[in-house]
Amino acid sequence: MKKFQTIAVIVGLVFSLTVSAQDKQTLEVMKKIEPLPQDLEIQLALSALPPHLRDNATVYILNPDKGFEVARMGTNGFHAFVARTGDDTFRGFWPFTKYRDDILYPISFDQAGAKAQMRVFFDAAKMQANGIPPSELKKIIQDRHKTGYYKAPERAGISYMLSPVLRTYFKPEESNRVITINFPHVMYYAPDVSNEDIGGGELAGMYPFAILPGPHGYIIQPLGLTERAAINKEYEDMLARLCKIKEVWCLPFAKRERSILMQKETPL
């Protein structure tokens, strides 16, 4: 009897330790994103827009327990927010096993984009907040794209991404490589248009190029160096605050990272 009790205790202990390890792993995978200070998040979201659209745009902030919430209701039909899990997360076949805490994706949409493209960001944030595992979330979003759940924009339109800092996936169709970049740009909705169709330039170069081919594709128009320098100057204080929070959000880090990336991309 005592021998049986001892075995039962050992089995119970092993089970407890296994469950504890699994719970720890689950918590690590599902760890909530640490929110930005609210004033900083709002400023970063609005930095995606040109000055004449900022005052009357609707602005959202991320509640890690619920998803995106309205911080300020606007009147001009533009919507701005900072995604911490972007739509490019769901591209390609690479395994999505852990929510990153370093993605920084300031973006805005007009009314057409808010009805179409923006839904992916908001659905992802809500499901992440509700505890959907990363791999399952990626499958859900990809399946929704395949079945046409997410429609292409109903008309031509524009998404501004004029913020001086962006950290997201580089060539997400191929891998989960992430890069920080200083690349203010404008995106035009271009369903089912390829880079070859428009004779596009290189990714993140100085000439227009197409990304995310398919119903939710875009043509990207980069801003010039002069305009980029002006934006960097305007947001010096904001960039300094972000840099203090995470080193990978520092623009000097972005320059080093891009230099390394370009070396890897250059054939021998």
Side-chain angles (χ1 to χ4, degrees):
M1 182 67 176
K2 289 183 178 180
K3 184 176 180 180
F4 175 78
Q5 289 176 333
T6 301
I7 293 173
V9 169
I10 293 173
V11 170
L13 181 59
V14 170
F15 177 77
S16 177
L17 291 172
T18 302
V19 170
S20 179
Q22 290 175 341
D23 287 346
K24 185 177 180 180
Q25 183 180 28
T26 300
L27 288 172
E28 178 64 22
V29 170
M30 298 307 304
K31 186 168 57 178
K32 300 288 186 182
I33 291 174
E34 187 68 27
L36 295 168
Q38 185 168 315
D39 66 318
L40 179 60
E41 185 171 0
I42 291 173
Q43 183 184 26
L44 183 59
L46 287 172
S47 74
L49 287 164
H52 69 281
L53 293 175
R54 294 173 192 160
D55 288 346
N56 296 311
T58 298
V59 185
Y60 303 85
I61 57 174
L62 181 64
N63 180 338
D65 295 319
K66 295 182 179 180
F68 283 106
E69 298 178 333
V70 175
R72 188 192 75 190
M73 185 62 70
T75 58
N76 65 5
F78 280 84
H79 305 255
F81 58 96
V82 182
R84 304 295 296 276
T85 299
D87 59 345
D88 49 4
T89 306
F90 312 108
R91 308 295 295 191
F93 296 102
W94 47 270
F96 185 40
T97 58
K98 183 178 180 181
Y99 290 113
R100 300 187 67 106
D101 64 357
D102 61 339
I103 297 299
L104 203 63
Y105 202 119
I107 190 169
S108 67
F109 290 100
D110 63 6
Q111 288 182 324
K115 293 177 182 178
Q117 320 283 60
M118 196 170 81
R119 290 183 62 198
V120 178
F121 292 90
F122 278 47
D123 286 355
K126 184 175 182 180
M127 285 188 278
Q128 182 175 344
N130 289 339
I132 300 297
S135 58
E136 184 178 342
L137 175 55
K138 183 166 184 173
K139 185 178 186 306
I140 291 172
I141 298 295
Q142 288 183 331
D143 286 346
R144 288 183 177 185
H145 277 299
K146 291 175 183 176
T147 60
Y149 177 89
Y150 293 121
K151 307 296 183 183
E154 60 188 7
R155 60 164 173 77
I158 193 167
S159 169
Y160 289 103
M161 292 188 71
L162 302 179
S163 179
V165 63
L166 168 67
R167 183 168 178 82
T168 192
Y169 296 95
F170 186 82
K171 295 185 177 179
E173 290 87 356
E174 300 175 9
S175 74
N176 63 346
R177 185 186 302 170
V178 170
I179 185 173
T180 303
I181 192 169
N182 172 231
F183 190 67
H185 58 278
V186 177
M187 306 199 300
Y188 305 99
Y189 312 138
D192 301 313
V193 173
S194 70
N195 205 42
E196 291 72 23
D197 290 335
I198 64 168
E202 66 176 6
L203 183 65
M206 63 180 292
Y207 297 108
F209 58 92
I211 64 166
L212 308 181
H216 295 83
Y218 300 94
I219 292 175
I220 306 292
Q221 174 64 64
L223 264 61
L225 295 178
T226 300
E227 293 80 6
R228 190 182 306 183
I231 290 173
N232 293 347
K233 182 67 175 177
E234 178 184 3
Y235 286 107
E236 279 182 346
D237 292 342
M238 182 187 77
L239 290 170
R241 290 183 67 186
L242 288 168
C243 190
K244 288 182 179 179
I245 296 173
K246 283 189 187 296
E247 182 188 5
V248 294
W249 294 343
C250 300
L251 290 189
F253 183 94
K255 291 177 182 177
R256 295 196 305 272
E257 196 173 43
R258 180 170 174 78
S259 176
I260 293 170
L261 181 60
M262 290 303 103
Q263 290 175 20
K264 291 181 178 179
E265 293 291 324
T266 301
L268 297 176

